[in-house]
Amino acid sequence: MCGIAAYIGEKNAYPIILEALKRLEYRGYDSAGITLYNEGKTTIYKETGAIVQLEKSLGKQSPKGKIGIGHTRWATHGAATAINAHPHHSQDKRLSLVHNGTILNHYILKEDLLANNFSFYGETDTEILVNYLSHQQKKENLNLLETVLRNAGKLEGRSVFVIHDKQDPEKLIACNLGGDLFIGKGKGKQILLCSDKNALAGYADKVLNLLPGMVAVIDKHCHIFDLNTQTELNPEWDKLKLNSEALEKGTYPHFMLKEIFEQETAISQTIKHLTKTSPNRLELVLEPYRRTITRLRKITIIACGTSWHAGLVAKHFFNELADLPVYCEYASEFMPNDVGSGDLVIAISQSGSTADTLQAVQAAKDAGATIISICNVDGSAITNLANVSLLTKAGPEIGVASTKAFTTQLAALLLIASQCGEWRGYLSPNKKKALWQELKNIPIKIKEVLRSNPKIAELAQKYQTANNFLYLGRGTGFPIAMEGALKLKEVSYIHAEGLSAGEMKHGSIALIDEKMPSLFIAPKDEHYDKIMNNLLEIKARHGKIIAITSETDKQIEAEADDIISIPTCPKLLYPFLTVVPLQLFAYHVALLRGTNIDKPRNLAKSVTVE
Ligand code: F6R
């Protein structure tokens, strides 16, 4: 969580950092700040709220300085106030620092600082961090690089920070203790550092992924050190290939809507990326683990939020295509004892930087499991941790509510499950081929579902005043119900629960009255008849019903208040189609309720704290 942007070069740093922070704003948007160094003076500007508030409060001032560090915050320690906003400065105002992540041993560091006559203006672990480094620097009479190299290893937890020293002002030091930081080199010896590679677009043509355990000294050049060995490294810089259109809303009013509509291409590109050649990428990268896969007795999936829902759908893929039981765990609840050597763990993460997932993956790896990651961000922390990394090709997902990442994760999971099925002798090559062909047809069917957008907007109008919603499904429809409910909660702030339709009668049915709408995930699969029973149970208690179904028949037409039709497809593929109307419904309800759709309150896109 939180976004870092820092600049050093020939130009005025303020507009460049401001623009980069706007691109990083999806990572946190409750306050923002920038430190600029100019002619012997460091000035810190901070404001609560979105970056635009900072921009407004600076008005026409246009602050000057060719070196600067900036930050957009998602509050962890301390409320979202201007005082707690980053950058933070040391007590003597010599050091200025921006930070992403949490320092777990901050209490201990603070006690020591208090005993040494430090006092604190705010409530953040970041202020403790900058004073800790300041104290160590003075105590041992070190320069800033030495201070960081000697002391960063004593900080517990995952974090990234960038720091400036007024007494050695022509450089910045960046340190990665678990998180993302990309260094971009542009023309004329300009260097821009950002938490997300995409935010470098237009400013850099070369990029270096500053990996966990690395420290960078950035002046007109860039020197990288290994925190463990304290020696200088010589890592490769990559060419930065970015399509800046992907970072714009284009003709859409919101990123969320744009990204819902992009699913058609995102899924096609993901399938193409993984299956284009023969042997395809999937087979090639999994080949070294083929023996492990053929002998597996179970798979463990680790993920959070929407990615966890993709994992729950994949349970059905692996069961039905590869005869493999799946344990799908919340990353934050993962117990490393559940896996051991010879086990396979699939970690799913759009961002690749979710702290809970990284923590669980590390624990699974330490326990001896082989890790396959499914991730949308090349070079992210999870791709570096995993034994095998498979990329989804959704393109940058900027709306905080995940949409296209979810369906591309489903595509990757279906491909992996069927490949495993073939290798395990459970799925014939012909059946796999036929299924992959059906999967390739899914984008066209999604296009058809997207045509219901105006109808779904009308339904949103009809139901927007409800204060609670139930989402109900069976089989793969159950995780889709959970995903639909999560989307509604996130963007419209309406309470919604995704439940197993079969479980509903064991308690939650008590909630039903004429004010409670229920959305049924009811494609014509093997659960249809039972779903119809559950629908009637709700109807008998005067609940309102919206049904998503693949073939309308007289019964559902008679019983449901509203129906959203989707095309037919093989039953395992229905999740790709049933989730789309739920994404659109959440979007339109949020639009009518006037919420901040792309940056809903209290949320951030990359959850880099535990
Ligand atoms: C919901 C959403 C979150 C993420 C979760 C995991 O719309 O976006 O629930 O799915 O925070 O994030 P990743 O997939 O980046 O690990």
Side-chain angles (χ1 to χ4, degrees):
M1 267 142 164
C2 304
I4 289 176
Y7 174 86
I8 195 159
E10 293 305 315
K11 297 193 177 151
N12 189 15
Y14 171 68
I16 297 173
I17 292 177
L18 196 75
E19 173 60 26
L21 288 180
K22 284 182 183 168
R23 293 177 179 181
L24 294 170
E25 207 175 16
Y26 68 85
R27 299 173 71 95
Y29 33 84
D30 57 39
S31 53
I34 297 179
T35 294
L36 290 172
Y37 174 77
N38 193 31
E39 297 179 352
K41 216 172 139 211
T42 47
T43 315
I44 302 185
Y45 307 90
K46 301 188 195 187
E47 195 51 76
T48 48
I51 316 289
V52 60
Q53 298 305 327
L54 178 71
E55 196 176 10
K56 262 193 208 152
S57 84
L58 287 173
K60 295 196 178 101
Q61 281 184 52
S62 182
K64 297 271 175 300
K66 291 179 179 166
I67 298 177
I69 55 179
H71 189 266
T72 180
R73 179 169 186 245
W74 186 89
T76 52
H77 296 208
T81 58
I83 278 194
N84 288 329
H86 303 208
H88 285 283
H89 60 77
S90 53
Q91 191 156 277
D92 61 2
K93 304 209 167 136
R94 175 176 160 184
L95 304 182
S96 180
L97 179 144
V98 287
H99 165 224
N100 171 4
T102 43
I103 308 291
L104 297 178
N105 55 338
H106 64 101
Y107 283 112
I108 299 163
L109 303 180
K110 188 171 182 178
E111 265 173 34
D112 186 47
L113 290 168
L114 288 171
N116 282 284
N117 297 324
F118 277 79
S119 59
F120 296 88
Y121 52 78
E123 305 147 289
T124 64
D125 54 348
T126 309
E127 191 189 345
I128 298 170
L129 170 59
V130 70
N131 280 305
Y132 167 69
L133 294 173
S134 161
H135 184 48
Q136 298 304 112
Q137 182 176 30
K138 283 190 193 150
K139 205 162 70 178
E140 298 173 48
N141 195 21
L142 305 172
N143 65 35
L144 191 57
L145 173 64
E146 289 164 341
T147 310
V148 171
L149 284 176
R150 285 202 201 165
N151 294 290
K154 296 174 199 156
L155 303 168
E156 290 172 17
R158 296 181 164 272
S159 60
V160 172
F161 61 87
V162 180
I163 184 164
H164 177 258
D165 181 352
K166 202 160 66 170
Q167 287 189 13
D168 188 7
E170 301 297 326
K171 63 169 69 115
L172 296 171
I173 308 267
C175 175
N176 188 345
L177 299 169
D180 296 319
L181 195 68
F182 295 88
I183 308 175
K185 263 190 200 169
K187 291 194 178 73
K189 298 202 170 158
Q190 301 187 74
I191 295 191
L192 180 65
L193 288 84
C194 283
S195 306
D196 178 344
K197 188 161 67 170
N198 292 319
L200 298 170
Y203 295 107
D205 37 40
K206 281 190 177 162
V207 66
L208 179 86
N209 187 353
L210 189 79
L211 295 170
M214 288 181 177
V215 173
V217 181
I218 297 137
D219 42 29
K220 291 205 166 75
H221 307 280
C222 187
H223 297 277
I224 310 292
F225 294 85
D226 182 305
L227 202 52
N228 276 334
T229 60
Q230 313 264 301
T231 53
E232 188 164 352
L233 304 167
N234 193 13
E236 295 264 322
W237 289 73
D238 293 324
K239 256 197 163 165
L240 187 67
K241 290 179 247 147
L242 284 175
N243 164 13
S244 50
E245 258 176 43
L247 307 173
E248 310 291 338
K249 287 197 283 257
T251 54
Y252 290 89
H254 295 97
F255 279 110
M256 182 178 178
L257 190 64
K258 178 181 179 235
E259 289 160 5
I260 292 172
F261 274 79
E262 278 174 352
Q263 291 180 102
E264 192 197 331
T265 31
I267 295 172
S268 290
Q269 276 166 9
T270 301
I271 300 171
K272 215 186 267 174
H273 171 71
L274 294 174
T275 66
K276 205 165 71 182
T277 52
S278 175
N280 58 57
R281 190 182 303 260
L282 190 70
E283 286 177 72
L284 285 175
V285 297
L286 292 181
E287 181 60 40
Y289 304 95
R290 188 169 172 159
R291 243 170 90 88
T292 311
I293 288 170
T294 52
R295 293 169 171 201
L296 281 177
R297 302 179 64 153
K298 66 163 171 77
I299 284 189
T300 303
I301 293 183
I302 301 174
C304 303
T306 288
S307 298
W308 183 68
H309 295 154
L312 289 176
V313 174
K315 243 176 122 113
H316 297 265
F317 295 166
F318 282 98
N319 262 290
E320 297 206 17
L321 300 171
D323 191 25
L324 259 174
V326 170
Y327 297 88
C328 182
E329 311 286 349
Y330 277 132
S332 55
E333 298 292 334
F334 174 67
M335 291 193 247
N337 284 351
D338 287 349
V339 298
S341 118
D343 279 337
L344 188 69
V345 167
I346 300 182
I348 312 169
S349 175
Q350 185 284 130
S351 61
S353 56
T354 300
D356 289 329
T357 310
L358 290 172
Q359 183 86 14
V361 166
Q362 185 64 63
K365 209 172 164 184
D366 293 345
T370 299
I371 316 287
I372 299 178
S373 76
I374 297 179
C375 182
N376 195 40
V377 180
D378 197 6
S380 60
I382 213 163
T383 62
N384 295 316
L385 257 185
N387 302 81
V388 177
S389 167
L390 291 168
L391 285 179
T392 49
K393 287 284 175 182
E397 191 181 61
I398 293 170
V400 164
S402 191
T403 52
K404 60 177 180 173
F406 177 72
T407 41
T408 56
Q409 288 166 351
L410 292 186
L413 286 159
L414 189 95
L415 293 170
I416 299 172
S418 40
Q419 189 57 58
C420 292
E422 186 185 0
W423 281 347
R424 289 166 65 82
Y426 194 72
L427 187 72
S428 71
N430 279 346
K431 280 199 171 146
K432 185 190 92 173
K433 202 170 157 202
L435 184 66
W436 285 20
Q437 190 47 53
E438 291 286 356
L439 181 64
K440 286 180 187 156
N441 294 337
I442 281 294
I444 301 165
K445 297 190 178 188
I446 287 189
K447 198 172 179 177
E448 252 180 78
V449 180
L450 289 168
R451 287 202 198 103
S452 324
N453 186 35
K455 176 170 182 191
I456 295 169
E458 279 170 26
L459 288 182
Q461 187 86 39
K462 181 169 166 188
Y463 290 98
Q464 56 155 319
T465 53
N467 290 325
N468 298 286
F469 278 82
L470 283 188
Y471 284 66
L472 298 159
R474 282 175 175 258
T476 55
F478 172 33
I480 295 302
M482 288 197 269
E483 175 57 10
L486 180 65
K487 288 289 91 84
L488 190 72
K489 282 188 274 198
E490 282 181 287
V491 297
S492 75
Y493 316 149
I494 295 176
H495 171 246
E497 277 191 61
L499 297 174
S500 141
E503 264 299 298
M504 182 246 334
K505 60 186 175 293
H506 297 289
S508 308
I509 197 165
L511 296 168
I512 300 298
D513 62 16
E514 64 287 353
K515 292 196 204 108
M516 170 75 94
S518 297
L519 276 104
F520 273 89
I521 322 304
K524 276 263 171 109
D525 60 13
E526 74 273 32
H527 303 292
Y528 184 76
D529 291 340
K530 285 186 181 168
I531 278 276
M532 275 312 295
N533 279 344
N534 301 137
L535 191 148
L536 291 171
E537 286 153 12
I538 299 269
K539 184 82 197 261
R541 286 152 185 90
H542 311 294
K544 296 273 175 297
I545 291 162
I546 307 168
I548 297 174
T549 187
S550 48
E551 289 160 52
T552 49
D553 59 24
K554 291 224 160 49
Q555 195 188 6
I556 205 160
E557 268 174 17
E559 305 301 346
D561 295 273
D562 290 288
I563 290 181
I564 303 169
S565 298
I566 55 163
T568 54
C569 66
K571 68 181 175 81
L572 266 187
L573 304 187
Y574 273 124
F576 290 92
L577 305 183
T578 51
V579 76
V580 177
L582 303 181
Q583 297 167 340
L584 286 170
F585 184 72
Y587 172 79
H588 286 294
V589 173
L591 192 65
L592 291 163
R593 289 202 157 206
T595 63
N596 190 350
I597 294 181
D598 285 334
K599 293 176 201 138
R601 69 182 181 202
N602 306 335
L603 297 177
K605 184 80 184 157
S606 300
V607 186
T608 56
V609 291
E610 283 159 50

